[in-house]
Amino acid sequence: MADALMGVTETSAAALAQVSQLAQTYLQQESKLIPTVSNFSHLAVKGASSIKLPRSGGFSVGDKSENTSVDSQIVTYAADTISLDQHRVVQFLLEDIADQQSMIATVQDSLMKAAKDMAYDIDAKIKAEFANASTSAPDHVIQYNDATNEDMELVDILAMRKLLIDQNIDPRECFLGVGSVQEKNMLAIDNFISAEKYGSNQPILNGEIGQIYGMKVIVSNVFATTDSFAWHPSAVGFAFQQDVRTQRDYDLAQLAWRYSLDYLAGFEVLDSGKRVVMIEETP
């Protein structure tokens, strides 16, 4: 009996599966906002087009007087829906001659760059949900105290913090997101604690530069212009129905391999936007 030889043909599917796993891991490491919100991917089963997350109010505690009956109460339930409708993709063609004559590992480099750009895309999707903060009862969209320069000040942070506390949210569990425009103003606030002073026992998130009044400060370019946000992890929910998938197909006319990375997910602001505060430019 002749020896059976296992070559690239037999192992290419496994190789692509491993690349997909690496791309997903790299995406999660590069994302600055994924670790700061709620992940419901375990509910995004095959066949589902959306996820419903039930939420409810609470009870009022009262007194029981002698010889007086107590009125029963009800809890009203509502649901937040995460629609799994975000099918995002990156594709590129790599000619054989370019791959052969390149001084770097072109395929690996391109795949990692694509995964990094997907991480930024996901952060932008999450930030877009932050922008759906409640605008009435309560109003969680406020303006900077400095109406002229739109510079962030301590009074702005305290205002955002108060609105979160009013919703029975512990600000020590919250995050404050700023862009490069506001980072320099944040660093100048006396109460800001740089991440360099945390000590070795406290983990630091990607993009985290420090804390102020217990809130971790995240810097990202998805926070464009001067808009900034404070949020609890339960402010936004997301779910991957399909993690990053890597595929390739040979294009004979181009003498090139077409590589494709795609994911299927959904993003949604939760609890009617009451768990996030947006501070924006003065109209």
Side-chain angles (χ1 to χ4, degrees):
M1 180 178 178
D3 289 337
L5 181 64
M6 185 169 64
V8 174
T9 300
E10 289 75 22
T11 61
S12 59
L16 284 174
Q18 186 175 15
V19 170
S20 296
Q21 184 178 2
L22 290 173
Q24 179 71 17
T25 301
Y26 185 69
L27 179 149
Q28 292 176 336
Q29 290 173 345
E30 285 295 312
S31 170
K32 296 179 180 179
L33 299 186
I34 283 179
T36 72
V37 293
S38 298
N39 186 350
F40 297 99
S41 296
H42 63 286
L43 299 177
V45 297
K46 186 176 177 59
S49 60
S50 63
I51 297 172
K52 288 191 178 296
L53 304 173
R55 55 181 168 85
S56 66
F59 294 102
S60 298
V61 180
D63 293 321
K64 170 64 172 74
S65 300
E66 184 181 0
N67 299 323
T68 303
S69 61
V70 177
D71 294 331
S72 63
Q73 302 177 42
I74 62 173
V75 173
T76 301
Y77 285 86
D80 292 314
T81 302
I82 301 177
S83 297
L84 303 171
D85 57 358
Q86 297 297 308
H87 196 181
R88 308 289 286 173
V89 62
V90 172
Q91 293 188 354
F92 60 91
L93 277 167
L94 180 63
E95 287 188 323
D96 293 342
I97 187 173
D99 189 30
Q100 290 295 328
Q101 297 182 359
S102 175
M103 299 296 291
I104 62 173
T106 311
V107 174
Q108 293 90 328
D109 183 64
S110 298
L111 289 173
M112 291 302 99
K113 281 185 169 62
K116 183 175 182 178
D117 290 337
M118 279 189 156
Y120 183 87
D121 180 70
I122 290 172
D123 284 356
K125 294 289 183 184
I126 294 173
K127 181 261 182 182
E129 295 303 321
F130 288 158
N132 292 323
S134 175
T135 56
S136 63
D139 187 354
H140 277 197
V141 180
I142 60 178
Q143 281 74 47
Y144 288 101
N145 181 63
D146 180 1
T148 302
N149 299 315
E150 311 287 355
D151 288 345
M152 178 170 283
E153 301 173 348
L154 180 59
V155 65
D156 300 315
I157 297 169
L158 294 178
M160 300 171 85
R161 193 172 186 271
K162 177 185 181 302
L163 288 172
L164 292 171
I165 292 174
D166 288 346
Q167 297 301 312
N168 296 316
I169 294 173
D170 186 347
R172 295 172 299 179
E173 300 173 354
C174 296
F175 300 88
L176 179 61
V178 299
S180 59
V181 174
Q182 295 294 0
E183 180 187 16
K184 63 180 179 63
N185 300 317
M186 179 67 64
L187 296 174
I189 297 176
D190 291 338
N191 302 78
F192 177 79
I193 301 174
S194 173
E196 298 174 353
K197 302 177 181 178
Y198 284 179
S200 60
N201 294 327
Q202 186 167 347
I204 301 176
L205 297 174
N206 185 23
E208 182 181 352
I209 62 169
Q211 295 184 12
I212 187 162
Y213 283 104
M215 294 191 292
K216 293 184 177 181
V217 181
I218 306 292
V219 175
S220 172
N221 285 333
V222 297
F223 301 114
T225 63
T226 57
D227 290 355
S228 303
F229 299 84
W231 69 92
H232 187 266
S234 60
V236 168
F238 75 93
F240 281 103
Q241 190 170 36
Q242 172 198 294
D243 286 344
V244 175
R245 174 180 59 178
T246 304
Q247 302 179 92
R248 72 172 186 169
D249 188 34
Y250 196 73
D251 189 330
L252 191 59
Q254 302 285 351
L255 290 180
W257 282 100
R258 177 184 292 274
Y259 290 87
S260 176
L261 287 82
D262 70 304
Y263 70 82
L264 179 59
F267 308 86
E268 185 67 28
V269 68
L270 306 178
D271 199 13
S272 303
K274 298 176 182 178
R275 295 177 170 271
V276 57
V277 178
M278 175 181 178
I279 183 165
E280 63 177 0
E281 296 181 1
T282 304

